[in-house]
């Protein structure tokens, strides 16, 4: 008989819905509770998904609902403290924390440590590791279809902590999770830019060196504004890959130019969300039950965080940063505090500020939802109307 797991979600916002869609696809998982300080947010989840219990605090939820698995879907700067509180719950066996794992190496390493100390399996939701294009690309690299990998070229937008974490982590996954040896980075921040209450850069670039001759080059918000976090190129001694989540192209001596690789896509494989979140939950459960470490484990994800933090630290120190990093705080915050990133505009803005539900017109939001507008778009519309009022 399949073992049943009780799951809970902390943070009743947009990304939590993707976790919910994953749980709904699994016969051995029941979502029994949610936690969010905003009553309208948790009631929405309870009503929309038939979740029996809702709590204002994580502590109440852990004590009363006693979940086995918890999704941490709060904003970036809360990941470490919420993960620590959840990991100490006596019933908790596994945690799926949203990306980016943490802002700063001190926070990331503390998450790994507290979960290991309490016997809890920690996975970070770099769910694109479970997409057909990335999985097949990993297989082709392991089969030697491009020879020895030399270079991954990544182009992203909207900040390292937002899209960059997926691209860096995805390339690492395909190439066997190499650990960086040194990083050289450059950062521009002339506007007072934030993402989910976390200071981010206007643009940046980084050169990341791994063992042997493997390097990544990443640029954010510089050249290609139509870039995709799930798209990049990998070049080897014998060929190249153009990788996307559900499309894969190979170029080598046998292909006679670029050729599309058949991914045998099934219905629903084009969507990032429910299927990939279900797959990462299934793998987490296998890990809990004694199987191999999840491909998205906290131990692996903290190495992705370190690459991002080293790009910032290199810009801060104006030199190559050798890993492991010594700085445990968030280097971008330190640069701001040290006056190294003078602003041309002091006006603070948050590119995901519309996701903040704490001070919106709930009646207007509900009207939009009743008219069939999605949660995400309804929040955006309400915020725009408030700004223009």
């Amino acid at each position: 008989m399949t073992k049943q797991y009780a799951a809970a979600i902390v943070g009743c916002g947009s990304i939590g819905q993707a976790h919910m869609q994953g749980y709904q696809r699994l016969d051995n998982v029941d979502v029994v509770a949610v936690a969010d300080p905003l009553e309208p947010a948790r009631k929405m989840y309870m009503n929309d998904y038939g979740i029996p219990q809702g709590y204002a605090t994580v502590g109440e939820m852990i004590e009363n609902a006693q979940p086995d698995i918890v999704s941490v879907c709060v904003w970036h700067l809360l990941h470490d403290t919420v993960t620590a509180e959840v990991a100490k719950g006596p019933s908790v066996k596994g945690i799926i924390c949203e990306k980016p794992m943490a802002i700063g190496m001190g926070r990331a390493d503390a998450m790994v440590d507290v979960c290991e100390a309490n016997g809890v399996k920690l996975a970070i939701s770099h769910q694109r590791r479970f997409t057909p294009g990335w999985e097949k690309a990993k297989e082709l690299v392991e089969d030697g279809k491009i020879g020895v990998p030399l270079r991954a070229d990544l182009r992203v937008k909207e900040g390292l902590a937002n899209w960059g974490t997926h691209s860096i982590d995805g390339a690492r996954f395909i190439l066997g999770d190499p650990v960086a040896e040194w990083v050289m980075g450059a950062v521009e921040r002339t506007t007072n830019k934030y993402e989910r209450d976390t200071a981010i850069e206007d643009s940046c670039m980084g050169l990341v060196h791994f063992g042997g001759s493997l390097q990544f080059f990443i640029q954010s918000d510089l050249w290609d504004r139509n870039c995709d976090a799930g798209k990049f190129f990998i070049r080897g001694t014998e060929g190249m890959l153009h990788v996307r989540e559900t499309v894969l192209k190979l170029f080598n001596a046998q292909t006679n130019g670029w050729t599309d690789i058949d991914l045998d896509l099934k219905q629903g494989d084009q969507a990032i969300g429910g299927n990939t979140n279900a797959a990462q939950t299934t793998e987490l459960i296998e890990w809990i039950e004694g199987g191999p470490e999840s491909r998205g484990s906290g131990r692996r994800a903290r190495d992705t965080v370190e690459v991002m933090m080293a790009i910032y630290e290199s810009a801060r120190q104006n030199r190559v940063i050798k890993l492991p990093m010594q700085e445990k705080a968030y280097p971008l915050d330190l640069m701001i505090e040290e006056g190294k990133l003078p602003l041309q505009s002091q006006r603070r803005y948050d590119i995901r500020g519309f996701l903040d539900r704490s001070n919106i017109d709930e009646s207007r939001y509900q009207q939009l939802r009743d008219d069939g507008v999605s949660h995400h778009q309804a929040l955006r519309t309400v915020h725009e109307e408030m700004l223009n009022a």
Side-chain angles (χ1 to χ4, degrees):
M1 180 177 177
T2 302
K3 185 173 182 180
Q4 289 297 119
Y5 286 84
I9 296 174
V10 180
C12 298
S14 296
I15 195 61
Q17 295 186 13
H19 288 241
M20 187 68 219
Q21 291 161 11
Y23 289 135
Q24 287 178 316
R25 285 166 165 77
L26 302 177
D27 294 333
N28 60 337
V29 176
D30 292 318
V31 179
V32 299
V34 292
D36 196 296
L38 294 177
E39 184 178 12
R42 61 179 183 268
K43 281 192 171 181
M44 179 188 76
Y45 267 61
M46 294 170 72
N47 293 333
D48 288 356
Y49 299 113
I51 299 171
Q53 303 176 56
Y55 300 94
T57 69
V58 174
E60 290 177 291
M61 185 194 74
I62 296 297
E63 180 179 356
N64 294 302
Q66 298 185 6
D68 302 300
I69 298 171
V70 177
S71 282
V72 175
C73 300
V74 296
W75 284 15
H76 312 336
L77 294 175
L78 298 175
H79 285 177
D80 59 321
T81 54
V82 173
T83 294
E85 186 173 5
V86 170
K88 295 171 185 176
S91 66
V92 178
K93 301 177 179 66
I95 295 172
I96 303 174
C97 178
E98 256 306 312
K99 65 80 189 168
M101 179 181 182
I103 303 299
M105 290 313 301
R107 293 171 183 255
D109 287 336
M111 291 169 68
V112 173
D113 292 345
V114 72
C115 287
E116 290 183 350
N118 287 277
V120 173
K121 307 301 186 187
L122 173 63
I124 305 303
S125 192
H126 286 121
Q127 80 276 32
R128 287 174 168 86
R129 284 178 174 243
F130 296 88
T131 55
W134 289 18
E135 290 180 316
K136 187 63 175 181
K138 180 178 178 64
E139 179 184 322
L140 294 183
V141 170
E142 290 173 346
D143 288 346
K145 298 299 184 183
I146 63 169
V148 177
L150 299 174
R151 174 82 168 243
D153 284 293
L154 320 173
R155 296 197 303 274
V156 300
K157 61 183 178 182
E158 299 183 353
L160 283 182
N162 187 30
W163 285 29
T165 183
H166 275 309
S167 290
I168 295 168
D169 190 78
R172 289 187 60 244
F173 167 66
I174 291 168
L175 296 169
D177 284 311
V179 176
E181 294 184 355
W182 56 258
V183 174
M184 184 70 176
V187 170
E188 178 185 56
R189 188 177 189 269
T190 61
T191 69
N192 207 8
K193 187 176 182 180
Y194 286 75
E195 193 252 323
R196 283 175 257 226
D197 209 29
T198 301
I200 62 171
E201 72 283 357
D202 290 329
S203 60
C204 71
M205 66 174 67
L207 179 64
V208 186
H209 183 79
F210 299 87
S213 54
L214 177 61
Q215 294 186 331
F216 290 0
F217 179 70
I218 182 168
Q219 53 176 300
S220 178
D221 295 284
L222 283 170
W223 170 36
D224 186 358
R225 291 296 300 166
N226 295 314
C227 57
D228 186 325
K231 176 177 69 177
F232 39 81
F233 289 88
I234 298 175
R235 178 168 58 87
T237 56
E238 305 297 331
M240 297 179 287
L241 289 170
H242 180 199
V243 186
R244 300 182 68 177
E245 290 141 3
T246 55
V247 177
L248 180 62
K249 297 178 182 291
L250 171 66
F251 183 106
N252 64 18
Q254 288 74 47
T255 62
N256 192 29
W258 285 104
T259 187
D260 290 316
I261 301 299
D262 182 12
L263 299 177
D264 189 27
L265 295 178
K266 301 176 179 60
Q267 186 175 5
D269 281 347
Q270 296 289 342
I272 303 301
N275 286 343
T276 52
N277 281 287
Q280 73 176 356
T281 303
T282 297
E283 192 167 276
L284 174 64
I285 289 173
E286 292 171 354
W287 187 20
I288 289 170
E289 294 180 352
E293 179 180 0
S294 169
R295 71 187 72 176
S297 70
R299 181 184 65 83
R300 292 187 170 106
R302 60 86 55 208
D303 292 340
T304 292
V305 174
E306 191 166 32
V307 169
M308 296 189 295
M309 296 303 110
I311 290 173
Y312 294 135
E313 183 66 2
S314 174
R316 177 182 174 229
Q317 299 288 348
N318 295 313
R319 62 180 176 85
V320 171
I321 298 299
K322 294 182 179 179
L323 277 60
M325 274 185 66
Q326 301 303 307
E327 181 56 63
K328 301 303 180 184
Y330 183 29
L332 191 63
D333 272 349
L334 296 177
M335 277 192 282
I336 294 169
E337 293 168 7
E338 294 161 354
K340 294 179 177 178
L341 296 170
L343 299 179
Q344 294 177 1
S345 171
Q346 297 292 330
R347 183 183 66 85
R348 173 171 170 154
Y349 67 103
D350 193 311
I351 63 173
R352 292 291 184 275
F354 65 89
L355 295 174
D356 183 359
R357 192 171 173 174
S358 58
N359 294 302
I360 70 165
D361 182 342
E362 285 289 344
S363 62
R364 175 59 175 150
Y365 167 82
Q366 192 56 55
Q367 179 187 24
L368 291 166
R369 292 301 308 279
D370 291 343
D371 290 341
V373 179
S374 70
H375 166 71
H376 196 279
Q377 186 56 49
L379 284 176
R380 185 188 289 274
T381 299
V382 172
H383 274 276
E384 289 176 351
E385 290 175 349
M386 291 169 61
L387 286 172
N388 294 328

